[in-house]
Amino acid sequence: MKVYIDGKFYDPAEAKVSVLDHGFLYGDGVFEGIRAYNGRVFKLKEHIDRLYRSAKAILLDIPLTPEQMTAAVLESCRQNGSPDCYIRLVVTRGIGTLGLNPKNCRRGSVVIIVGDIQLYPRELYEKGMEIVTVPTTRNLINAVNPAIKSLNYLNNILAKIEANIAGVEEAIMLNAEGYVAECTGDNLFIVQGPRLLTPPLYAGALYGITRGVVMELAREAGMEVAETNLTRYDIFNADECFLTGTGAELIPVVKVDGRVIGNGKPGPTTTGLIARYRALTRVSGEPF
Ligand code: PXG
């Protein structure tokens, strides 16, 4: 395993960043989590585009062009050698002073780590998982917009800790108005008759790449897909519920806040979309 830092590859033990890096000191930076299947990086362009949009939103100049970034990701995958992997792309504000003013950070820093990820136990993909709603509210869109995939994930981490305290793996986060935003590292969908529903981005969700793929797959399968505000009531009374994310892929949800969803088993729409998603990951993506 090799780690890319600013143009050079290092063994993991030697892959180090400065303690004066503002990514470390303040969470000042952006990141992406990408998967490769079968020697192809899935939805690479979409992830690179989102990285640059996140960076633009926080006025962070990435010291590589998107084309150079794409080449660096593909080279990192080649160095890693495994056809199936998880790619963590991190761009920080770079080295500055102990003060928080980013004007002292002269150059952003790019790190690419290629490894593995297994977010949830395998059996939950078959049985479905139980999740809860947690007290920590999703960041306000006019504070730190959840559309920015920033290094400052404390909002999500607090919610994840609250999920763990409740004895489950993932948490639903509501926005300040009480509508469902998303989970800590996944977007949320419900099935309501012939319709597939997911919260709109303005509810406080990340513009999930997997979310976009699933909406497209559902439309291709003839479903009606809509982005609409959802309440906990809507989830409790849904026919099916599932989560999407690069790490999680698609995972069925069968219990929310103690309420059984549908018949308590992963439903046909969810399992159908899981199959379509898996098939797509096998045949599409940027080869390395
Ligand atoms: N919402 C949030 C807050 C996320 O962080 C998603 C939704 C799903 O987006 P994508 O584009 O991946 O479909 C994410 C993504 C991890 C990990 O290390 C987290 C994510 C992705 C990969 C790994 O827990 N979050």
Side-chain angles (χ1 to χ4, degrees):
M1 181 188 176
K2 296 279 181 194
V3 179
Y4 172 104
I5 305 177
D6 295 326
K8 293 201 191 109
F9 285 94
Y10 299 86
D11 289 326
E14 303 306 319
K16 294 174 181 164
V17 293
S18 166
V19 293
L20 292 179
D21 191 301
H22 275 217
F24 175 73
L25 287 174
Y26 299 109
D28 186 358
V30 294
F31 77 104
E32 275 299 321
I34 314 171
R35 264 188 199 268
Y37 301 90
N38 240 3
R40 294 157 173 263
V41 183
F42 190 60
K43 299 289 167 192
L44 179 57
K45 183 178 188 305
E46 286 78 356
H47 282 282
I48 298 281
D49 287 350
R50 186 173 65 186
L51 180 76
Y52 280 78
R53 289 199 302 266
S54 291
K56 182 168 188 176
I58 67 162
L59 292 115
L60 169 60
D61 277 327
I62 298 180
L64 297 177
T65 63
E67 293 71 29
Q68 290 169 325
M69 186 67 81
T70 302
V73 168
L74 295 173
E75 182 53 27
S76 300
C77 292
R78 273 179 229 120
Q79 295 268 343
N80 182 61
S82 166
D84 293 270
C85 53
Y86 173 69
I87 303 145
R88 168 58 58 88
L89 238 177
V90 182
V91 185
T92 74
R93 188 86 63 183
I95 294 172
T97 57
L98 283 176
L100 69 82
N101 197 332
K103 75 171 195 275
N104 297 311
C105 301
R106 257 180 266 124
R107 191 183 155 86
S109 206
V110 177
V111 174
I112 306 171
I113 310 163
V114 181
D116 291 320
I117 196 166
Q118 169 81 40
L119 277 195
Y120 303 119
R122 211 167 282 282
E123 72 263 20
L124 293 185
Y125 287 83
E126 309 298 327
K127 284 193 321 193
M129 73 173 174
E130 174 176 0
I131 60 176
V132 296
T133 311
V134 293
T136 295
T137 299
R138 193 79 183 97
N139 278 336
L140 297 181
I141 53 162
N142 55 347
V144 181
N145 193 319
I148 302 166
K149 203 160 165 62
S150 90
L151 290 184
N152 200 313
Y153 249 45
L154 204 46
N155 185 230
N156 312 51
I157 288 169
L158 289 176
K160 189 67 116 179
I161 290 169
E162 288 163 348
N164 291 343
I165 289 169
V168 298
E169 293 275 350
E170 185 54 301
I172 294 176
M173 301 184 76
L174 306 179
N175 64 24
E177 286 183 291
Y179 291 109
V180 175
E182 59 178 341
C183 293
T184 71
D186 315 298
N187 292 108
L188 181 142
F189 284 85
I190 62 170
V191 177
Q192 213 178 56
R195 302 199 305 159
L196 184 66
L197 305 176
T198 193
L201 302 180
Y202 63 74
L206 182 75
Y207 183 83
I209 309 295
T210 319
R211 173 184 183 273
V213 171
V214 164
M215 288 166 76
E216 212 175 292
L217 290 175
R219 285 198 182 105
E220 280 168 19
M223 288 192 82
E224 190 191 319
V225 181
E227 297 174 66
T228 183
N229 267 329
L230 298 176
T231 63
R232 292 168 68 232
Y233 171 91
D234 298 319
I235 300 179
F236 298 155
N237 290 293
D239 299 323
E240 300 178 31
C241 177
F242 64 89
L243 311 181
T244 66
T246 297
E249 303 174 298
L250 276 72
I251 184 157
V253 171
V254 293
K255 206 183 223 190
V256 176
D257 297 335
R259 281 79 160 180
V260 172
I261 308 302
N263 65 2
K265 297 202 177 82
T269 299
T270 304
T271 50
L273 286 168
I274 290 174
R276 282 168 184 271
Y277 185 79
R278 289 205 178 132
L280 186 66
T281 61
R282 293 284 131 203
V283 297
S284 77
E286 199 63 37
F288 57 85

